[in-house]
Amino acid sequence: MDMLEGKIAVITGGASGIGAATARRVAAEGAQTVVADLNLRGAEDVARFIREAGGDATALYADLGDIASVRAMVQTTVDSYGGLDILHNNAAATRLAARSDLPILNADPHVWDQTMRINLRGTMVATQAAIPHMIARGGGSIINTSSVSGLAGDLGNPAYGASKAAVISLTQSTATQYGKQGVRCNAITPGYVSTPAVDTAVRGAVREVMLRHSLTPRLGTPEDIAAAVVFLASDEAANITGQVLGIDGGLLAHQPYVADLRT
């Protein structure tokens, strides 16, 4: 397993869930991996797991809402490892989405500002900081975690959904502007991803609805997302850029009545 041998990668939101699974998989594929998160202790646990498995990983504190912190994350990576090849912009303001992202009539503009600051501006600043270092090494791959929430409306979380839609637009702009210099940029749109935190936060009935609407026999896992990130980061995806890859079990691929007619 050496799809990313010799590569240097930064995974934001790497302390848990999708980020942790991706950091572990990227490192297993040979990349020197920086596990960046607001939760430094969790990031250190993931980095320790990688090292004990024979990989090379470092934990870094990173606050995606703080421009200086994001820039320091990239610069520390370059200073420590000598460059940067892969950036997975995965961190997001999930706690805001779960607790404070109210329907539009009740929406708090400050929550919108915070959501955009972390999910969108943080992704942009990390991308901005990474691109010169990628160009210096002949190119690189940026993978942005968007969401099915950025592709379809919901009864709640309008700020989160809008921010994730904007991440798709940012992805396309990045791919367009820097592709000729060897920098590829793609977005992934996970659907329901089963993690302890998500399964605890979501009512069982909602989980069952998501499973009925999935075209696959099960809901997604963090490892499903990690596998897609590794592919997009690797040379196997050398001619793929500006794309939006749905990793949602076919959630948005069918007419709504299908879930009720299928047995």
Side-chain angles (χ1 to χ4, degrees):
M1 298 178 71
D2 58 359
M3 289 179 69
L4 304 179
E5 190 69 35
K7 305 290 188 182
I8 300 160
V10 171
I11 314 297
T12 71
S16 61
I18 291 171
T22 301
R24 291 192 295 265
R25 179 66 189 274
V26 164
E29 294 288 350
Q32 295 173 295
T33 304
V34 171
V35 185
D37 204 288
L38 195 62
N39 174 9
L40 181 58
R41 179 174 294 182
E44 288 172 339
D45 288 343
V46 174
R48 186 180 307 110
F49 176 93
I50 290 170
R51 291 193 298 270
E52 289 175 352
D56 186 346
T58 302
L60 283 182
Y61 172 85
D63 179 355
L64 270 289
D66 183 325
I67 293 172
S69 179
V70 176
R71 289 174 175 167
M73 172 189 74
V74 172
Q75 191 59 53
T76 300
T77 299
V78 172
D79 292 343
S80 298
Y81 289 109
L84 180 60
D85 304 293
I86 300 161
L87 172 63
H88 181 201
N89 284 311
N90 173 68
T94 52
R95 290 185 180 179
L96 280 176
R99 300 175 183 176
S100 307
D101 192 359
L102 301 177
I104 292 168
L105 282 180
N106 303 108
D108 182 346
H110 297 293
V111 171
W112 274 70
D113 288 346
Q114 285 182 280
T115 301
M116 297 299 170
R117 180 168 57 89
I118 296 168
N119 294 2
L120 181 58
R121 194 188 73 182
T123 297
M124 185 281 291
V125 173
T127 298
Q128 181 185 61
I131 284 173
H133 300 292
M134 291 181 172
I135 292 173
R137 285 171 66 84
S141 177
I142 299 170
I143 303 100
N144 295 327
T145 300
S146 179
S147 170
V148 293
S149 296
L151 298 172
D154 203 342
L155 296 176
N157 299 333
Y160 182 82
S163 72
K164 290 302 188 178
V167 164
I168 291 173
S169 179
L170 175 63
T171 297
Q172 293 166 333
S173 292
T174 303
T176 300
Q177 293 168 16
Y178 300 100
K180 292 295 187 184
Q181 293 164 281
V183 177
R184 296 185 295 108
C185 187
N186 294 286
I188 55 174
T189 56
Y192 187 107
V193 178
S194 185
T195 66
V198 170
D199 291 341
T200 298
V202 175
R203 289 177 296 143
V206 173
R207 190 178 187 279
E208 289 305 311
V209 167
M210 299 298 281
L211 182 57
R212 285 197 300 113
H213 278 272
S214 175
L215 300 182
T216 55
R218 62 169 176 82
L219 294 172
T221 68
E223 289 72 24
D224 293 326
I225 312 305
V229 172
V230 165
F231 170 68
L232 290 173
S234 75
D235 293 339
E236 296 294 317
N239 203 38
I240 301 175
T241 193
Q243 303 304 304
V244 182
L245 176 61
I247 315 170
D248 62 0
L251 187 68
L252 301 185
H254 58 81
Q255 297 288 351
Y257 63 79
V258 170
D260 296 321
L261 295 181
R262 287 173 57 200
T263 58

